[in-house]
Amino acid sequence: AKVIFKVPPRVFSDNEFRTLTMPFQLLVGENEFLYNSRKATERARRILPDGDIELIQNCNHAIVSDQTKLVKEKVLSFLGGR
């Protein structure tokens, strides 16, 4: 089935991403269907080397429902370290 968006996703430029100064976590499902998950995490690591960036296996766009326990542990660990 083709995904149709009322508001299409926006791709931020490298310069826009570089303006982020706060700690952040990016969790991406390896089977993401909206974009290439490997390229997205590689790009994020290149642009924002201090970010907590991870490709989560065995899940797609819905990482919270696909890998609930793992995502919960990662988010709580990230927030607990702040």
Side-chain angles (χ1 to χ4, degrees), residues 2-57:
K2 184 176 181 178
V3 177
I4 299 173
F5 297 101
K6 291 183 180 182
V7 178
R10 179 174 160 336
V11 176
F12 291 90
S13 72
D14 291 2
N15 286 334
E16 288 175 304
F17 275 124
R18 286 186 185 103
T19 65
L20 298 176
T21 58
M22 75 296 265
F24 76 93
Q25 181 177 55
L26 175 64
L27 303 175
V28 178
E30 72 172 342
N31 300 318
E32 172 61 61
F33 54 83
L34 298 177
Y35 50 85
N36 184 309
S37 58
R38 293 197 189 285
K39 286 184 181 179
T41 53
E42 288 170 5
R43 177 177 177 233
R45 287 184 185 114
R46 187 183 75 250
I47 298 168
L48 301 160
D50 295 329
D52 182 2
I53 301 162
E54 190 167 345
L55 192 61
I56 306 296
Q57 296 184 6

Side-chain angles (χ1 to χ4, degrees), residues 58-73:
N58 301 316
C59 64
N60 60 36
H61 186 77
I63 64 170
V64 174
S65 60
D66 288 349
Q67 289 286 355
T68 305
K69 184 177 177 184
L70 177 65
V71 170
K72 176 184 169 185
E73 290 169 0

